[in-house]
Amino acid sequence: MPCYAIDGVIPVVHPTAHVHPTAVLIGDVHVGPGCYVGPCASLRGDFGRIVLEEGSNVQDTCVIHGFPDSTTVIEPNGHVGHGAVLHGCIIRHDALVGMNAVVMDEAEVGAYSIVAACAFVRAGQILPEKSLVAGLPAKVLRALTEDEIRWKREGTQAYQDLTLRCHASMAEVQALPAAEPDRPQLQTGTVKSLLATRRV
């Protein structure tokens, strides 16, 4: 993975974490045990500190940064969806930030909360626990149900399992010119979208 020191400060990655080789880590970045950092994520600890605590995930093309002297924290089992931007904020434990959402400076996303895709969480906004948050600017829509909290937990577990799968089997290869006739399907568990769970 591309890791860069700046002013003599080197990123720290726990051996049980998986950081994709195309992700970029700069400076004061701490990736904790069992974390997953996806392809093309940019974690720039060149001003403030970035901390990913145990079991959290930061997916493809996410950007994490902050102002000088800030600390951006994703607490244990935090879940940050594709393309999200975090800037000098705190994502409390077991919370989810949806795809392409933005969480600004000194904002806090409460534990077990879900920030919907494309939401904009304003600087300094403090969001309560177990809430569904959406909109531009983001507003609390309602309390989450226990089923929604369980669904989020299952999704995060799928990424924790993906970290293990990456350690066990991911390798750079040349693409095949055509699919094999007996090509296997990936066996990756049963987690579904929230929409699909409501059809059952």
Side-chain angles (χ1 to χ4, degrees):
M1 82 198 83
C3 278
Y4 300 92
I6 189 165
D7 298 333
V9 178
I10 300 170
V12 177
V13 177
H14 193 276
T16 61
H18 170 75
V19 178
H20 191 273
T22 62
V24 177
L25 278 54
I26 301 170
D28 198 4
V29 176
H30 303 255
V31 179
C35 290
Y36 174 89
V37 178
C40 300
S42 174
L43 283 65
R44 280 183 48 211
D46 48 13
F47 289 157
R49 175 171 290 178
I50 296 169
V51 179
L52 276 58
E53 295 184 357
E54 184 169 3
S56 60
N57 70 76
V58 172
Q59 297 171 21
D60 327 42
T61 72
C62 289
V63 174
I64 304 180
H65 196 236
F67 283 109
D69 299 322
S70 68
T71 301
T72 305
V73 180
I74 304 172
E75 291 188 344
N77 303 321
H79 189 111
V80 182
H82 317 290
V85 176
L86 308 182
H87 205 275
C89 57
I90 298 175
I91 310 305
R92 295 292 181 197
H93 69 87
D94 296 283
L96 181 152
V97 176
M99 294 179 248
N100 289 314
V102 175
V103 184
M104 291 298 294
D105 303 278
E106 299 181 39
E108 292 186 19
V109 175
Y112 302 101
S113 287
I114 294 176
V115 175
C118 298
F120 179 80
V121 178
R122 297 185 317 271
Q125 191 171 8
I126 308 297
L127 299 170
E129 293 186 356
K130 298 183 178 180
S131 298
L132 177 62
V133 178
L136 295 164
K139 293 185 172 123
V140 177
L141 299 186
R142 60 174 172 79
L144 289 172
T145 67
E146 287 305 311
D147 282 346
E148 289 166 333
I149 292 169
R150 183 169 41 254
W151 169 81
K152 184 272 167 196
R153 190 179 308 120
E154 289 170 358
T156 300
Q157 182 64 58
Y159 270 89
Q160 292 166 348
D161 293 344
L162 178 57
T163 296
L164 299 174
R165 291 170 55 216
C166 289
H167 277 289
S169 69
M170 194 168 95
E172 188 170 0
V173 296
Q174 291 293 320
L176 299 172
E180 318 93 300
D182 57 348
R183 185 176 181 85
Q185 287 281 104
L186 289 171
Q187 302 300 311
T188 58
T190 58
V191 69
K192 296 181 166 85
S193 72
L194 191 54
L195 184 64
T197 65
R198 290 175 173 153
R199 290 195 197 106
V200 177

